[in-house]
Amino acid sequence: MSSIPNPKECLVILKKCGCSEEVIKHCLAVRDVAVRIAKKANADVELVEAGALLHDIGRSIPHDTPHVIKGGKIAKKLDLPEEVVRIIERHIGAGLPAKEAKKMGLPERDFLPETLEEKIVCHADSLIDNNKKQKIDHEVEKAKSEGFNEYAKRLVALHKELSEICGMDLNNI
Ligand SMILES: [Fe+2]
């Protein structure tokens, strides 16, 4: 298994895989927020930075396969470290348990962030709309309006959990 790629290497990987400028801009915005959270939370900043930069690697080629699945496959092929692969595979906002995953067209297994670093990248992604910072309430309201009430609750819970770890409301990070 290779070591965690540095930011420059991550950008080379994204480009090599054919990610658009738009996707790369989004990944950079998520990285900025994720790194700020990681520092506050005393998490593994190197891992969070690589995971955030590479989280949407599966959005490189338009594909029928959901991007987290595609991303996981690409990351494994590239021999990226297991902890980076896990971030890529599990970054569905606040996560989805198997039943909800199936409803959304994903394989019937848990897509729930478990480690602190996985949670941070997932949440940073929820705090970024395209490439702009947004309050979590925006994402929560969107989920509710689409009928994903359990998911909305998990977003709120993850926001609270990470805000407590960081000692601040992450809407203001
Ligand atoms: Fe994303």
Side-chain angles (χ1 to χ4, degrees):
M1 196 204 300
S2 57
S3 54
I4 293 174
N6 67 37
K8 261 194 185 164
E9 290 166 336
C10 290
L11 289 171
V12 170
I13 293 171
L14 290 177
K15 282 186 188 148
K16 265 195 186 159
C17 288
C19 286
S20 65
E21 280 303 312
E22 202 189 328
V23 169
I24 293 175
K25 266 189 204 161
H26 165 74
C27 292
L28 287 166
V30 172
R31 184 273 306 267
D32 291 348
V33 172
V35 165
R36 290 208 293 276
I37 299 175
K39 285 181 179 163
K40 285 258 174 206
N42 278 324
D44 181 339
V45 177
E46 197 191 357
L47 172 59
V48 165
E49 184 159 30
L53 282 170
L54 295 171
H55 80 279
D56 269 343
I57 197 169
R59 282 169 66 193
S60 46
I61 322 151
H63 205 275
D64 285 344
T65 315
H67 79 281
V68 287
I69 306 292
K70 178 85 185 142
K73 279 187 187 155
I74 294 174
K76 278 178 196 156
K77 227 180 174 178
L78 291 170
D79 198 28
L80 290 171
E82 181 58 27
E83 59 264 52
V84 176
V85 176
R86 282 182 50 112
I87 290 176
I88 295 168
E89 282 180 335
R90 284 164 187 258
H91 83 277
I92 307 183
L96 293 174
K99 272 200 176 150
E100 284 176 49
K102 196 184 171 198
K103 269 190 221 160
M104 289 183 140
L106 289 161
E108 193 173 359
R109 60 177 165 88
D110 287 341
F111 289 85
L112 294 165
E114 283 168 9
T115 67
L116 179 58
E117 287 76 14
E118 288 162 19
K119 288 177 182 176
I120 289 172
V121 175
C122 279
H123 202 58
D125 201 21
S126 301
L127 286 169
I128 292 290
D129 180 23
N130 200 8
N131 56 19
K132 286 202 179 67
K133 181 88 197 317
Q134 66 174 355
K135 297 218 184 292
I136 198 63
D137 317 61
H138 184 86
E139 203 64 11
V140 172
E141 288 314 313
K142 197 172 123 199
K144 280 187 190 163
S145 72
E146 289 168 356
F148 300 119
N149 289 326
E150 290 307 309
Y151 177 74
K153 276 185 210 160
R154 277 197 302 279
L155 276 173
V156 173
L158 187 55
H159 186 77
K160 192 167 170 255
E161 181 187 338
L162 291 177
S163 291
E164 270 166 21
I165 291 172
C166 293
M168 66 174 290
D169 181 352
L170 289 181
N171 278 322
N172 304 319
I173 190 95

